[in-house]
Amino acid sequence: MVTTTTRGTRELTTHARAASRWPVAVAVAIPALLWLAHTVLGRALNLFETGTAIAGGERILAGETPYTDFFAFYGPLTYLVPGLAHRVTGSVTTADFGQALLESVAVCVVAYAIAARLSGRRVAALLVPLALAMLGAATVRTLPALVSVLLLTRFEATGRRRWAVGAGAAGGVGLLWIQDAGAWICLAIALVWAASLAFPAARRLDWRAFCAYAGGVAAAIAPFVVWMLVRGALGAWLYWTFVFPNTGYTERSATAYVSGLVESALAASPPRALYVLAFWVLPFPAILLVAAGSVVTAVVHLRRAGIGRRAHVPLPLTTVVLTVYAALQLRVMLASVDEAKLASASAPAITAGLALALWALGRRRGLDADAGAGGETDAGSGAEVGGRSRTRWPGRAVALLAAGWLVLYPAWSQVRSLSHQVGGPVPQVVASVGGLPFQDAAPPASSPADVGALLAAVDAHAAPGAPILVLPTSPLLYPLTGRPNPTRYDYLDPVYTTPQVDAELAADVRSGRIALVVLTTATFPGTDLTAADLAPGTVAAVHERYEAVATVNGFTLLAPRTR
C-alpha cells in the first residue's frame, strides 16, 4: 500500500529530476540549433580540412600506416573517427554533418556540466555553452581534455580513484586525437601535482591519485603504441605529431594573421571590408575579452574571499587544473593560428572564466544556487554556503545571449557560406548580398551542386576505383569519388612540401599509375600559393604527361596524353 506521503515524495523526486535535466536539454539544443541554421541556409563542403580527415581515415581502414605510408601530423583518431563515420554512413556529407553535430553537442554539454559544478548554478551556467556556440569554440579540439576535467570533478567530490583513472583515459584519448589539447591537459595535471608537493593550499592531488591518472593515460594509448611498434612507426608518430608541428609552423603567428586580415579589409570594397572585420577579425577580441574579463573578475573575488591564502582553505583541484590547462592551451596564439583554432583553444578559458565569475559574483551577492534551495558553493567542491537568490540577472543574461545568437548566427552563416570556402576555387565575380554589391559573393565552387557536377565529370573520364591525384588542397574528392590517391600526400602544404616531396610527387606522376589528375585554381588557405608555387616540379610533370579533357567550375581534369 502506497501512502500519500510516499506518493508525494515520489512526485517531488520526479519533479526535482525533471528540473535538474532541463538545463542539460538546453545545452544540447544550443549547438543543434546552430548546425540546423547553418545547414538550412546552405553549407559549402570543406574540401580541404574535412577531406584530410576522411581521406586519412579511409587510408588507415585500408591497411595503411599513418606517418609512414601517408603524411599526417595529427593524432590517429583525427583521421580514424571521420573515416569510420564515412564507412558506416556511406555518405561524406552525412558523416561530416553528423560528426560535427555530435562533437558540438558534446563540447557544449561537457562544458556546461563543468561550469554548473564549479559555480553551483545550473541556469546561469548555460552562459557557457551559449558563449562557446556563438564564438565558434564548440569544436572537437578540446573535447577529450574537457571530459578529463569533468571526470576530475567527480574524483574531487567522491575521492574515488577510479574517476582519476577515467580522467587519465580521457587525457590519453586527447593525445590520440588533436594531440596538443591532450598534451596540455596531461601537463596541467603534472604541474598541479608538482605544485601540491610544495603548496599545502593546493594539496588535493596525492601521489596515488596522480598515479591513477597516469595509469589511465597509459591504458588509453597502449594499444596504439603497440600497433605503431609492430608497424615500425612509433618514432614517426612521435616526430610528426609532437616535434614537427612545434618546429615547422612556428613562423606563423596570430599577430601576423590578424594584421593580414586588417590589411585585406582596408584594401577591399566597403561591403567586403565590413564582412572581414565583422566575421573574421571580431572573433579575436571577442574571445579574448570574454576569457580575460571573466578570469580577472573571478581572481579579484577569489582574492577578496581569501581562497588559497590559508592552508585550511585549499584551492579546489578541478579549478586549478582547468585554469592551468586553459593558460597552456592558449599557447596556440604563439604558433600557427586562425580564428577557428583560437576559438577552440579558448574553450577551456571561457569555461573556467565564466564558471569562476558566476561563482564569485554569486558568493559576493549572496546568491542562491539555481536549484533554489542550497545557496553558494565552494568553487569546484559543491559545498553549499549561502542563502536565497535576490536577483534574476543570470536568466536575463542567458535570454539576451540566446536572442543575440538567434539573430546574428543565421546572418553570419549566410554571408560566410556565400563568400568563403576552403579547398576549392573561389569565383572572382561580383554579386549582391542584401542588395549590396559584394566581391566574391557567388556560391563557392565547393557547394554540393558544383561538386556533384565535378564528380560526374570524374566518372566520365576515370574508371571506378582508378587512382587519381588532386592538387593542391581538395582531398575530400578522394572519398567523394571513391578513388584512391596513389601518393603519400593528400594535399600540398607550404611547410612540408619541400623540394624532396616535390620530386617524389613528380616521380609518382611520371610512373603512369595515375588515371586522372584534378587540378584546381585554389590556393593554400591563408596564402596566395597555387599548386605551381607549392610543387613546381609536380605541376610540370602533370602538364608533360597529361592533357586537359574537361573543366568544371574551376577544376581542370587532365587525362594521360594519347600521343
Side-chain angles (χ1 to χ4, degrees):
M1 179 176 180
V2 180
T3 65
T4 303
T5 302
T6 303
R7 186 182 299 111
T9 301
R10 289 178 178 176
E11 290 177 354
L12 288 174
T13 302
T14 302
H15 176 75
R17 288 177 178 174
S20 67
R21 290 170 182 167
W22 77 261
V24 177
V26 173
V28 171
I30 290 169
L33 288 173
L34 182 150
W35 277 98
L36 178 62
H38 193 45
T39 303
V40 169
L41 291 170
R43 296 175 60 216
L45 294 173
N46 188 325
L47 299 183
F48 176 38
E49 292 166 336
T50 300
T52 301
I54 295 180
E58 288 288 337
R59 298 182 77 147
I60 294 176
L61 293 174
E64 296 187 46
T65 304
Y67 320 111
T68 54
D69 292 339
F70 67 93
F71 174 79
F73 65 94
Y74 285 125
L77 294 180
T78 305
Y79 309 98
L80 189 56
V81 171
L84 283 171
H86 177 228
R87 183 69 62 88
V88 170
T89 63
S91 167
V92 168
T93 54
T94 302
D96 178 28
F97 174 81
Q99 182 185 347
L101 174 61
L102 291 176
E103 290 169 353
S104 298
V105 168
V107 171
C108 284
V109 171
V110 171
Y112 164 76
I114 293 172
R117 287 182 181 277
L118 294 186
S119 67
R121 287 164 177 79
R122 294 182 296 106
V123 176
L126 288 171
L127 287 167
V128 172
L130 275 169
L132 294 182
M134 290 178 64
L135 296 175
T139 69
V140 72
R141 179 175 291 268
T142 55
L143 176 58
L146 290 178
V147 171
S148 182
V149 173
L150 180 60
L151 294 177
L152 279 177
T153 66
R154 295 297 302 153
F155 165 71
E156 188 168 21
T158 65
R160 296 176 180 175
R161 284 193 288 273
R162 65 185 183 187
W163 293 110
V165 174
V173 169
L175 290 173
L176 299 179
W177 207 302
I178 300 180
Q179 64 275 7
D180 59 343
W184 294 136
I185 188 63
C186 292
L187 180 59
I189 290 289
L191 290 175
V192 171
W193 174 71
S196 69
L197 300 178
F199 300 100
R203 191 183 297 277
R204 285 199 180 183
L205 185 65
D206 58 22
W207 68 270
R208 294 182 180 87
F210 179 73
C211 289
Y213 187 91
V217 174
I221 67 173
F224 176 74
V225 170
V226 171
W227 182 53
M228 287 284 99
L229 281 171
V230 171
R231 294 297 186 101
L234 183 61
W237 167 56
L238 294 174
Y239 173 77
W240 288 111
T241 56
F242 296 104
V243 178
F244 173 74
N246 293 299
T247 56
Y249 290 96
T250 54
E251 73 280 1
R252 299 170 62 191
S253 67
T255 302
Y257 184 85
V258 175
S259 63
L261 288 176
V262 173
E263 291 173 2
S264 66
L266 295 177
S269 61
R272 176 71 175 179
L274 179 62
Y275 163 72
V276 172
L277 291 174
F279 301 110
W280 287 95
V281 179
L282 182 61
F284 281 88
I287 291 169
L288 295 177
L289 182 62
V290 169
S294 300
V295 171
V296 168
T297 300
V299 169
V300 169
H301 290 294
L302 285 171
R303 287 180 61 85
R304 289 179 179 176
I307 300 299
R309 290 185 296 179
R310 300 183 299 275
H312 65 278
V313 186
L315 284 171
L317 167 65
T318 307
T319 302
V320 177
V321 170
L322 182 58
T323 303
V324 173
Y325 167 58
L328 291 172
Q329 184 64 67
L330 285 178
R331 178 193 175 276
V332 73
M333 291 191 63
L334 303 178
S336 171
V337 71
D338 55 31
E339 86 292 341
K341 292 178 183 176
L342 176 61
S344 60
S346 297
I350 294 171
T351 303
L354 287 177
L356 288 174
L358 290 172
W359 173 82
L361 289 173
R363 190 177 193 278
R364 182 185 180 188
R365 298 185 182 187
L367 293 177
D368 180 26
D370 287 321
E376 299 175 20
T377 60
D378 181 15
S381 68
E384 297 177 353
V385 295
R388 297 287 297 177
S389 173
R390 295 194 298 269
T391 181
R392 297 181 179 180
W393 73 267
R396 293 173 181 173
V398 170
L400 180 62
L401 276 176
W405 172 77
L406 290 173
V407 172
L408 292 177
Y409 186 81
W412 174 86
S413 176
Q414 176 68 11
V415 175
R416 187 162 183 167
S417 67
L418 285 174
S419 60
H420 175 70
Q421 47 79 56
V422 177
V426 178
Q428 300 294 323
V429 298
V430 177
S432 64
V433 175
L436 295 174
F438 205 93
Q439 184 70 28
D440 303 343
S446 57
S447 65
D450 288 330
V451 172
L454 174 62
L455 300 184
V458 171
D459 289 337
H461 293 91
I468 65 172
L469 177 63
V470 181
L471 299 173
T473 56
S474 301
L476 189 60
L477 295 180
Y478 295 118
L480 280 172
T481 62
R483 291 170 172 84
N485 173 12
T487 76
R488 296 177 59 236
Y489 306 95
D490 289 327
Y491 64 95
L492 302 180
D493 178 280
V495 177
Y496 81 73
T497 308
T498 61
Q500 292 76 17
V501 171
D502 186 18
E504 181 182 341
L505 283 169
D508 289 331
V509 170
R510 294 189 176 98
S511 68
R513 295 181 297 152
I514 299 171
L516 191 71
V517 175
V518 180
L519 188 63
T520 82
T521 58
T523 60
F524 187 82
T527 75
D528 58 358
L529 299 175
T530 64
D533 298 319
L534 295 167
T538 301
V539 174
V542 167
H543 291 301
E544 170 190 325
R545 298 294 183 93
Y546 293 78
E547 60 183 356
V549 293
T551 300
V552 181
N553 299 316
F555 297 87
T556 300
L557 280 61
L558 301 98
R561 292 184 180 273
T562 56
R563 51 180 171 79

